[in-house]
Amino acid sequence: MSADNTIHGQWSSRLAFVLAATGSAVGLGNIWRFPYLAGENGGGAFVVVYLACVLLVGLPLMSAEILLGRRGRRNPMDAMRSLALAERRTPWWGGVGLMGILAGLLILAFYSVVAGWLLFYLYRSVSGWAAVGTAGLDRLFSSLLSSPLWLVGTHTLFMVLTVTVVAMGVQGGLERSVKILMPTLLFMLLLLFGYAVGTPGFGEGVRYLLVPDFGVLAERPALLLEALSQAFFSLSIGMGALMAYGAYLPKHASVFRMACWVTGLDTLVALLAGLAIMPLLFSYGLEPAQGTGLVFKTLPLAFGEMPGGRLWAIVFFLLLIIAAWTSAISLMEPATAWLIENRRFSRPLAALTAGGVAWVLGVGCALSLNVWQEYKLFDKNLFELLDYLTAKIMLPIGGVLIGCFAGWVIARRLTLAELHVPDGMLYRAWLFAVRYLAPAAVLVVFLDAFGIIGFSG
Ligand code: PFF
């Protein structure tokens, strides 16, 4: 293995990396999680805080993560360990990478269950909507959540799809599918947005999403944490997914420029999804705070009324499944690379093992929505608990530690060369962000969310 390559191969070009990293970033986080969190947290205020987190914390940390991957050229744990040793620091930094690997499997567990919901809606689009109208869609979503068979079945199918690609190696199949997927997904979102423009609730929906009313901070004490953690989740940072992808990056690409592309595309997709969905809520007189069912209870309404709506619904759910798929693949890659490099597993066996662990946990998540509903910890079922633990705790902490590692431990000349930016304002701004701004932001938001200081609530 040369210093420029890994045993897992390399992306064929910079574009291939940007597409794969965007494939990781764009997923359920943008189209399922972002709109429902915005709806629960008063719209504009959430979006403004979210955008600030993306720009000031997300982008610098994403650059840090990719650059560490390319320098370390291994799975997140060993990359951080060997880079720390090279700088004569404690190998315990590897623990940050290990936490990321575990976080990936925990996220994958509930992620795959939600992707299973999409498979169910795809099936319903193909077989014809039995339920149109708001009440019918409400019932359809509840009946899905109360069916262990559908939930476990679709979760299993999605996991099999994910394991299959990871077992084959992420470059080949992934590169090709993402190249077609991304433009088509954008087109579909534009189409839905175009539809939303013509609905009576358009103005109100856009205002709700884009005009902040910071008064909601008083009613939504967790808003800051929700927005910050959504930035980590949506950008795929804090757990080494992009570090693992960065390890397969050709040598001369500018890490910073690539991080800008991925961040920009991810944000564009989230905003478009929000702009397509919010007007529908107001047009149909629905409450924005619909929780996890928001997308599933609104978008089919639009499809129901469009000419050729059934076909559009099929295309849309199919695209969303592929978007979730490319993200799930990246959630599994760190654990898979770890098993291959440390346990000498073959790639298929490593993928099967990582997928197996996430599958078992996912079955628990699926059942926690119905038959195990009453088993709760901190008032949360397993599904909610895993979402909370990963997005709100593990990703922000992991992300900040990754940023501190890049900013404080790795020599300046190395980070400068990897980022490929001039040694001026931009570099200093990056350094400031990873060294001070990101840790301070996460600290303040944690203190606020746990009621130690009071910005909100
Ligand atoms: N960014 C993905 C999404 O928005 O759906 C989810 C995700 C993928 C989170 C990879 C974290 C990660 F490492």
Side-chain angles (χ1 to χ4, degrees), residues 212-288:
D213 162 17
F214 288 106
V216 294
L217 274 171
E219 295 140 43
R220 300 292 312 178
L223 186 145
L224 294 183
L225 181 60
E226 297 276 17
L228 179 87
S229 63
Q230 172 61 13
F232 281 85
F233 189 89
S234 188
L235 295 172
S236 296
I237 49 182
M239 55 139 286
L242 296 181
M243 207 188 293
Y245 277 12
Y248 316 144
L249 192 57
K251 206 150 182 148
H252 300 289
S254 156
V255 164
F256 184 71
R257 192 160 334 135
M258 281 183 292
C260 286
W261 270 106
V262 178
T263 305
L265 285 170
D266 186 69
T267 309
L268 178 71
V269 173
L271 287 176
L272 264 180
L275 286 173
I277 289 167
M278 286 304 160
L280 295 181
L281 284 175
F282 291 97
S283 303
Y284 288 93
L286 295 169
E287 260 298 298

Side-chain angles (χ1 to χ4, degrees), residues 129 132 195 284 299-307 309-310 313:
W129 291 108
V132 268
Y195 175 81
Y284 288 93
L299 286 185
L301 290 172
F303 292 129
E305 293 198 353
M306 280 182 200
R310 188 159 147 207

